[in-house]
Amino acid sequence: MHTGRDMKKTIVKGMNLAELEEWVLQLGEKKFRARQIYEGLYKHRYETWQEFTNLSLALREKLQEYASIPKIEVTRHLKSELDATQKFTFEVAEGKEVEAVWIPSADGERKTICISSQVGCTLACAFCATGKLDFQGNLKAWQILDQVIQVEKLVGESASNIVFMGMGEPMHNYFAVLKTAHLLHDEDTFTFAARKITISTAGDVKGIRRFVENREPFNFAISLNHPDANKRADVMDIDKKYPLQELLAAAKDFTKTLGRKVTFEYVMIPDVNMSQEDAAKLVKLANSLNCKINLIPLNTDFYGWERPTEEQIAAFRQAISKAKVPVMNRRSPGKDINGACGMLSLKGKPNTPRTNYAR
């Protein structure tokens, strides 16, 4: 398998057009070759230099000598028995794995790929299984991008939406994440509209402000998970560094400067953040800025916490219906394969054997 470990060769997957242009010039080739390589990598999804038949044999041999097109390999592929969700475990480097999830909507119109940005995570959100893993490093842009390429190839369909909500904190790998998002957004290659790409954060204020300063066009989501400034740190450890009021100030700056809604993700945890008082505070918070709220039932069972009942979910949603913002109750697709929100931790069904898909 090719994982980019051969440091003698330049890894070209993950390069944007400007980087490829600079590289081909250094290689002694004409600048227009960069566009041919760029489209071959991302539009045609070529995996070997032999496939670049629009290039001369001599140039292909030269590229074979000096450049590599790395590829992540799927080591486990699970399909939900409850819905059409599929989860993939990828080896991104020797001994390092991440997960990505294919999530089609019930009507089949929306097909989302949830991708990872780190091996493990730099944070430890209390409800999240990924946060229990050791952090083993940031993914490079090509490793993030290749999750989309390989999932679409394995599923045999094209995605309509991309969400950076898998393993890791995207703002802690900011430049690789945004580079990947722009490659996906390029109308000459992957063609995802900016509104079809969502980047999330647990609340990294520095990353939010950088996102705003750069006027990034993509959708943005914040894992809120508690509306009380004195209690949020019990659920979100990042609150100790970036307190709720500081986070909300950055969110308001986002909405005013960019003129777009921010999405608040809210994992519902009975006896933790679903009281009538919590609902009232959430309503007040939501009405203070341009946002929408995604309600997500708890999917893990750490600390003896239990998933809310349908009655509890309905009561909480009713309590926050006073908010003058859109409120949606997100389902938990792929729960039986540990593919739902907060469950990504390199685990599948109990006793599920690993499947080697290496080709």
Side-chain angles (χ1 to χ4, degrees), residues 121-128 130-132 233-238 303:
C121 190
T122 44
L123 301 177
C125 302
F127 61 87
C128 183
T130 305
K132 312 302 178 187
D234 294 336
V235 181
M236 309 291 292
D237 65 325
I238 196 172
Y303 315 109

Side-chain angles (χ1 to χ4, degrees), residues 225-270:
N225 302 326
H226 212 300
D228 192 311
N230 297 316
K231 297 179 181 179
R232 185 171 183 264
D234 294 336
V235 181
M236 309 291 292
D237 65 325
I238 196 172
D239 192 84
K240 297 171 185 176
K241 182 174 183 179
Y242 297 115
L244 181 59
Q245 293 308 314
E246 190 176 343
L247 172 61
L248 293 178
K252 289 178 182 179
D253 185 39
F254 175 99
T255 60
K256 290 180 180 179
T257 303
L258 301 183
R260 305 202 305 270
K261 279 184 173 65
V262 67
T263 299
F264 285 121
E265 307 281 355
Y266 197 93
V267 175
M268 295 176 288
I269 310 172

Side-chain angles (χ1 to χ4, degrees), residues 304-321:
W305 293 343
E306 295 182 355
R307 181 183 176 88
T309 64
E310 291 302 318
E311 291 75 16
Q312 288 173 317
I313 293 172
F316 187 72
R317 185 172 185 178
Q318 177 62 32
I320 63 172
S321 62

Side-chain angles (χ1 to χ4, degrees), residues 154-167:
L154 291 162
V155 172
E157 296 185 63
S158 296
S160 62
N161 297 72
I162 303 295
V163 295
F164 289 79
M165 295 181 180
M167 302 173 74

Side-chain angles (χ1 to χ4, degrees), residues 57-350:
L57 178 59
L59 179 54
R60 279 180 276 162
E61 290 176 347
K62 186 177 182 179
L63 292 170
Q64 179 67 39
E65 180 179 358
Y66 289 104
S68 67
I69 308 174
K71 176 180 160 184
I72 59 176
E73 297 286 357
V74 63
T75 58
R76 182 186 288 151
H77 179 187
L78 299 175
K79 297 182 179 180
S80 173
E81 296 178 359
L82 303 177
D83 48 58
T85 302
Q86 299 183 48
K87 186 173 76 165
F88 302 86
T89 301
F90 290 105
E91 183 179 35
V92 294
E94 188 172 3
K96 295 183 178 182
E97 295 181 322
V98 298
E99 292 181 337
V101 188
W102 170 264
I103 313 169
S105 60
D107 59 13
E109 293 186 4
R110 182 184 175 100
K111 299 170 183 178
T112 301
I113 303 178
C114 176
I115 56 178
S116 297
S117 57
Q118 296 181 314
V119 183
C121 190
T122 44
L123 301 177
C125 302
F127 61 87
C128 183
T130 305
K132 312 302 178 187
L133 301 175
D134 292 334
F135 173 64
Q136 297 183 59
N138 287 329
L139 295 181
K140 298 183 186 302
W142 76 262
Q143 295 168 321
I144 303 173
L145 185 70
D146 213 34
Q147 293 172 61
V148 176
I149 293 173
Q150 299 307 327
V151 168
E152 287 190 336
K153 181 179 179 180
L154 291 162
V155 172
E157 296 185 63
S158 296
S160 62
N161 297 72
I162 303 295
V163 295
F164 289 79
M165 295 181 180
M167 302 173 74
E169 165 54 52
M171 293 296 100
H172 289 177
N173 191 13
Y174 184 91
F175 295 106
V177 164
L178 268 297
K179 183 179 183 182
T180 304
H182 280 284
L183 285 169
L184 291 168
H185 179 43
D186 192 330
E187 62 182 13
D188 291 330
T189 54
F190 292 87
T191 71
F192 286 96
R195 68 182 184 278
K196 299 294 186 179
I197 299 172
T198 301
I199 299 173
S200 70
T201 180
D204 185 276
V205 171
K206 181 179 178 181
I208 296 172
R209 295 206 175 279
R210 179 181 285 152
F211 190 98
V212 173
E213 181 180 350
N214 294 336
R215 304 188 76 86
E216 298 293 354
F218 311 108
N219 288 341
F220 200 75
I222 297 173
S223 295
L224 182 65
N225 302 326
H226 212 300
D228 192 311
N230 297 316
K231 297 179 181 179
R232 185 171 183 264
D234 294 336
V235 181
M236 309 291 292
D237 65 325
I238 196 172
D239 192 84
K240 297 171 185 176
K241 182 174 183 179
Y242 297 115
L244 181 59
Q245 293 308 314
E246 190 176 343
L247 172 61
L248 293 178
K252 289 178 182 179
D253 185 39
F254 175 99
T255 60
K256 290 180 180 179
T257 303
L258 301 183
R260 305 202 305 270
K261 279 184 173 65
V262 67
T263 299
F264 285 121
E265 307 281 355
Y266 197 93
V267 175
M268 295 176 288
I269 310 172
D271 301 322
V272 174
N273 64 0
M274 294 183 69
S275 70
Q276 291 298 305
E277 181 182 0
D278 294 329
K281 290 181 178 179
L282 182 56
V283 168
K284 183 178 179 181
L285 183 157
N287 286 336
S288 70
L289 72 166
N290 186 16
C291 70
K292 65 178 180 179
I293 300 173
N294 277 345
L295 298 176
I296 307 168
L298 177 71
N299 291 309
T300 53
D301 56 4
F302 304 121
Y303 315 109
W305 293 343
E306 295 182 355
R307 181 183 176 88
T309 64
E310 291 302 318
E311 291 75 16
Q312 288 173 317
I313 293 172
F316 187 72
R317 185 172 185 178
Q318 177 62 32
I320 63 172
S321 62
K322 300 175 184 177
K324 301 173 184 178
V325 302
V327 178
M328 286 150 285
N329 181 12
R330 266 180 44 190
R331 60 194 180 96
S332 295
K335 192 172 186 299
D336 61 324
I337 54 173
N338 288 331
C341 177
M343 301 184 78
L344 300 190
S345 62
L346 305 175
K347 294 180 180 179
K349 297 178 183 178

